[in-house]
Amino acid sequence: MDRRFLLKAGFSAVVGSAISGAALADEPVRDIRAISDFDELWSTLDRQYCFFAEKRTDWNRVREVYRPMAQAAQTYEELVEIVRRVLAELYDPHTSMSGLPDGSQRGPISDLIAEWRNGQARISAISDDSVAAQAGLAIGDVILSVGGRPVEAVMRELMPQCLTAPDPEATAYALNSALAGLRGQDRRYQVSRGRAAPREVILINQPRPARPNVEWRRLDDGAGYIAIRSFEDDAVTERFDQALVELRDAPGLIVDARYNGGGDTAVARPIMGRFITETKPYAMMRRREGSGLGGFWTETVDPRGPFTYTRPVVVLANHWSGSMAEGFPMGMRGIGRATVVGTPMMGLGAAVFPVVLDRTGIRAQYSAEPVYDVNRQPRWLMQPDVAVPDGQDILAAGQRTLASLIG
C-alpha cells in the first residue's frame, strides 16, 4: 500500500464525522473538544514521531505549555494556531498542518534560504525565476527586517519554546519561517548589500507560472534531458516513458529533479525501474518501536518497460528538491544508475503519516518512517556526488559531468 493511498484513506475516513473548519469558526471551541483533540495529537506524535532523537525538543514540556492554551481557546482559529505552534516545536518542515488559512504563518520553505551568521540573516540561496530573484535579491544580501520589524524579533517569536538546549537547526527553522512570511500576503523586507544604503524590497504574493510535470528535449551536445517537477500524479510515469522512447538513443541522460516538491513512491519507483534489468534495493526504512526506532527493512525497485536505458545518467537536485524528490536521486544512486549533481536538498528525511483530529477535523502530517540509502546513511544528510556552489549553473555542471561519464 503506497503512502498516497494511506493519506487518502486517512482523510476520507473522517469526512462523514469531522466538523468542518467553517462550521467551527461560527461557534466557541468547547473545552472538552479542544483538550481531547490536543491530547490525541500529542499522544499520537509521542508514540509515532520518528525524529525525537535528532531533536532537542522536550515533548513533555510541550504538553505542559500548550495544553492549557488549548483548554483556553475560544475559537477554532485559536486552536488551529495552537496546533501549528505545537508542531513547530519539532522544527521539522515535514511535520505540519494542512489547509492553513491566509494570514497564517508559513513554514520555512520559500523561494529563498538564509543563514544566521554573526547576528545577521544572510541570503545563501535563491530559487531561479522566483519572485525573490525577480525583485533583485542576491546571495549575500542581508535582510534586516520583515514587515517593518527586525528579523531577530520575528525569529524570537517563531523559535521553539520547549528546547532542552540551543539547536542551530531550530534557529534555521525560525529564521526561514520568518522570511517566508504569512500565507496569502506580500512579503516586505529591508535589505542591505555591502556599503549601499538599505532598501525596501516587496515580494508580491503570486503563484509561479504553471509548467508541465514532465518536459524533455535533446541538448546541443546530443544528450537527453528530462525535467520531472512532481511525483504526485500517476501520469508522470507515463509521460516519462514517452520521453524515454524519444531519447532512447541519446549517449547519456540528464534527469532534472530540481524544484520538485516530492510525491509518491508509486510514481517514482517505476521510473527508476526503467534503468535496471534486475530487482535492486534502493532505500532502507525504519519506524518507531517503543521509545526508539525498530530495525531496518529494505525497499526495492523492479525492472520495468519494453527496454532498459543503460547509458550514463546524471540526476540534478537542489535545495528545493523535497521528500520523494530526495528519495529519487538517492534511489538512482543506490541502484548504481546515476551520479547526483547539485546542492544539498530539503532534508525531509521520512515518509509521513496523516493525522485527522476526531472532534475538530484539524488535519496534519508528521514524520513517521525515516529513510536511509542502501548503506544506511540518512536521507536527510545526503550530499550530491558533484557539489555545485549556490548561485552557479547546476545544469551546466550536470552536462560537464555527463560528458565525462560518456567519455
Side-chain angles (χ1 to χ4, degrees):
M1 185 179 296
D2 63 72
R3 186 67 53 232
R4 183 178 54 205
F5 180 85
L6 286 171
L7 283 165
K8 289 180 178 176
F11 289 160
S12 63
V14 298
V15 167
S17 60
I19 301 173
S20 72
L24 285 166
D26 295 332
E27 60 179 276
V29 178
R30 297 181 178 87
D31 288 353
I32 185 64
R33 186 165 60 199
I35 284 297
S36 296
D37 272 2
F38 177 90
D39 289 344
E40 178 188 354
L41 176 71
W42 186 90
S43 61
T44 296
L45 270 67
D46 186 54
R47 293 190 311 269
Q48 299 189 53
Y49 183 70
C50 65
F51 285 138
F52 280 124
E54 284 73 30
K55 304 295 179 179
R56 296 179 182 175
T57 304
D58 183 337
W59 193 238
N60 288 319
R61 177 64 178 159
V62 170
R63 188 174 187 273
E64 293 172 5
V65 169
Y66 290 100
R67 193 174 191 270
M69 294 183 186
Q71 188 169 22
Q74 295 297 306
T75 65
Y76 176 78
E77 289 79 10
E78 287 181 15
L79 184 60
V80 165
E81 174 61 13
I82 292 164
V83 170
R84 185 200 65 77
R85 291 175 60 186
V86 166
L87 298 178
E89 289 289 337
L90 295 167
Y91 50 101
D92 174 356
H94 231 181
T95 296
S96 59
M97 288 189 63
S98 305
L100 284 168
D102 286 351
S104 300
Q105 176 62 49
R106 295 182 64 192
I109 299 172
S110 70
D111 53 3
L112 59 84
I113 298 170
E115 297 177 353
W116 190 249
R117 301 179 190 169
N118 302 317
Q120 293 183 322
R122 190 173 297 274
I123 296 176
S124 57
I126 296 178
S127 171
D128 294 339
D129 300 325
S130 65
V131 174
Q134 293 166 8
L137 293 175
I139 292 173
D141 285 351
V142 174
I143 299 181
L144 305 173
S145 69
V146 178
R149 302 177 59 211
V151 168
E152 192 166 9
V154 182
M155 283 176 60
R156 192 178 305 115
E157 291 181 358
L158 297 175
M159 185 72 71
Q161 301 300 302
C162 300
L163 302 181
T164 59
D167 188 342
E169 294 296 326
T171 301
Y173 182 97
L175 169 60
N176 286 287
S177 295
L179 301 185
L182 304 180
R183 292 176 179 270
Q185 297 186 11
D186 298 342
R187 288 169 285 166
R188 179 163 58 92
Y189 302 146
Q190 186 182 48
V191 181
S192 69
R193 180 180 297 173
R195 297 183 177 180
R199 70 191 192 282
E200 183 175 76
V201 175
I202 297 177
L203 305 186
I204 302 299
N205 177 61
Q206 61 184 27
R208 298 185 74 162
R211 302 181 69 182
N213 283 336
V214 181
E215 287 187 303
W216 65 91
R217 66 181 187 272
R218 201 174 293 265
L219 301 174
D220 291 341
D221 58 7
Y225 171 87
I226 305 175
I228 305 176
R229 300 189 178 93
S230 174
F231 291 111
E232 291 185 350
D233 189 341
D234 291 334
V236 167
T237 305
E238 180 180 350
R239 291 284 288 169
F240 180 86
D241 288 347
Q242 295 172 5
L244 202 60
V245 167
E246 294 190 18
L247 299 172
R248 67 181 300 174
D249 64 339
L253 188 66
I254 291 177
V255 181
D256 192 345
R258 295 175 296 170
Y259 305 110
N260 182 326
D264 198 329
T265 57
V267 174
R269 189 161 16 194
I271 293 174
M272 287 188 269
R274 297 305 307 270
F275 298 94
I276 54 176
T277 57
E278 60 183 2
T279 298
K280 290 194 172 186
Y282 79 96
M284 309 288 287
M285 299 184 72
R286 305 168 78 185
R287 66 168 61 101
R288 276 287 296 277
E289 288 186 9
S291 61
L293 295 176
F296 289 88
W297 76 84
T298 302
E299 295 285 327
T300 60
V301 178
D302 295 324
R304 188 184 66 87
F307 67 90
T308 300
Y309 188 87
T310 60
R311 293 172 176 145
V313 179
V314 162
V315 175
L316 306 183
N318 67 2
H319 297 295
W320 291 271
S321 302
S323 194
M324 195 59 227
E326 300 174 79
F328 177 78
M330 185 194 74
M332 286 290 288
R333 182 164 71 182
I335 63 176
R337 286 299 293 121
T339 299
V340 181
V341 176
T343 69
M345 298 176 286
M346 282 190 194
L348 307 181
V352 296
F353 285 179
V355 57
V356 184
L357 302 182
D358 287 340
R359 296 151 193 87
T360 59
I362 291 174
R363 299 179 177 186
Q365 66 177 30
Y366 60 92
S367 297
E369 294 178 346
V371 185
Y372 306 80
D373 69 15
V374 293
N375 297 312
R376 300 189 177 186
Q377 297 303 305
R379 187 178 78 184
W380 59 94
L381 299 179
M382 179 179 164
Q383 297 292 317
D385 301 304
V386 178
V388 180
D390 288 314
Q392 294 193 14
D393 191 331
I394 292 176
L395 176 57
Q399 289 182 270
R400 291 192 298 269
T401 301
L402 185 62
S404 69
L405 295 171
I406 293 171

